[in-house]
Amino acid sequence: MTAGRNVRNLALIGFMGTGKSSVGRLLAHQLRYEFVDTDDLLEARAGKPIARIFAEEGEETFRRLERELVGEMAAWKSHIIATGGGLAAEAANLESLKMHALVVCLWATPEAIWQRVKHQTHRPLLQDPDPMSRIRTLLERRTPIYRQADVLINTDLRSVKDVAQQVLHQFQDARGGRPES
Ligand code: S3P
């Protein structure tokens, strides 16, 4: 599946609340790779939270910043990248990630996602009178592209540790048993 590709990094993609950041942080610690959360990096660069980027500059600006960051990643090595939920939903971003990273999609049902995010308020796309149907609609729209990840892992009823373990196996396989070189 990754034959002929230069898998130097690991990218975690998938919907909000699927555990990309928690799993990514753990993996980076285990592999001694650098961890980057695209949301955190874009917030730090903008000097404001994502909700304010959306409110003050619009979602299009945020997506442009994501695309620019994806371009920068092509030069990275030994990074674990946790992406914002919409980043890999753009086909060109996903294609670009695949050039240098094993792309793993963390999956969860809308119900599990809602259970995980319902007490959080920092995601502008879920500030909706009917967040559950927003989750369903967005997830349905993005599913065809999320499915183009190299590996799909269902995170429902699984601990962060279990998911990380599974991702690690896939990464080792893709790198021919050389995760740290
Ligand atoms: C978004 C997901 C968020 C963040 C922004 C938009 C999306 O990231 O990038 O609020 O479009 O799904 P998380 O997946 O880390 O919550």
Side-chain angles (χ1 to χ4, degrees):
M1 172 208 319
T2 54
R5 279 168 49 189
N6 186 355
V7 176
R8 304 185 298 274
N9 302 298
L10 173 69
L12 297 170
I13 71 165
F15 206 76
M16 302 173 244
T18 51
K20 293 161 291 178
S21 304
S22 314
V23 169
R25 248 184 223 104
L26 182 57
L27 283 168
H29 179 73
Q30 289 172 345
L31 288 168
R32 295 196 187 82
Y33 274 29
E34 181 134 0
F35 175 70
V36 173
D37 179 305
T38 61
D39 288 341
D40 290 350
L41 184 53
L42 293 178
E43 286 188 334
R45 287 180 178 182
K48 53 185 159 188
I50 284 166
R52 267 185 57 209
I53 306 179
F54 269 65
E56 293 169 13
E57 298 169 50
E59 180 172 351
E60 251 325 297
T61 298
F62 178 72
R63 298 302 175 198
R64 177 177 53 75
L65 296 172
E66 282 189 321
R67 280 194 296 276
E68 287 169 2
L69 180 54
V70 167
E72 292 173 37
M73 290 172 191
W76 295 0
K77 71 178 268 231
S78 304
H79 278 66
I80 307 283
I81 305 160
T83 62
L87 184 146
E90 282 199 30
N93 286 345
L94 180 59
E95 282 315 303
S96 180
L97 289 175
K98 282 186 171 179
M99 302 294 285
H100 57 86
L102 181 75
V103 179
V104 176
C105 179
L106 300 190
W107 186 258
T109 56
E111 292 75 19
I113 289 168
W114 176 237
Q115 287 308 313
R116 293 176 192 166
V117 303
K118 68 181 177 189
H119 298 303
Q120 302 172 347
T121 55
H122 63 278
R123 292 181 173 95
L125 294 180
L126 298 183
Q127 300 311 303
D128 190 284
D130 185 356
M132 189 62 196
S133 84
R134 182 83 166 133
I135 291 170
R136 285 187 200 285
T137 311
L138 269 178
L139 190 57
E140 204 170 302
R141 193 185 304 155
R142 291 174 178 179
T143 295
I145 183 148
Y146 284 155
R147 282 187 173 284
Q148 291 172 35
D150 296 310
V151 180
L152 226 78
I153 294 181
N154 191 337
T155 68
D156 280 352
L157 307 174
R158 279 220 176 99
S159 69
V160 167
K161 211 171 140 201
D162 280 358
V163 175
Q165 192 61 25
Q166 204 173 339
V167 177
L168 185 60
H169 282 310
Q170 297 287 345
F171 190 53
Q172 280 167 336
D173 271 3
R175 301 212 6 124
R178 292 170 292 106
E180 299 195 42
S181 58

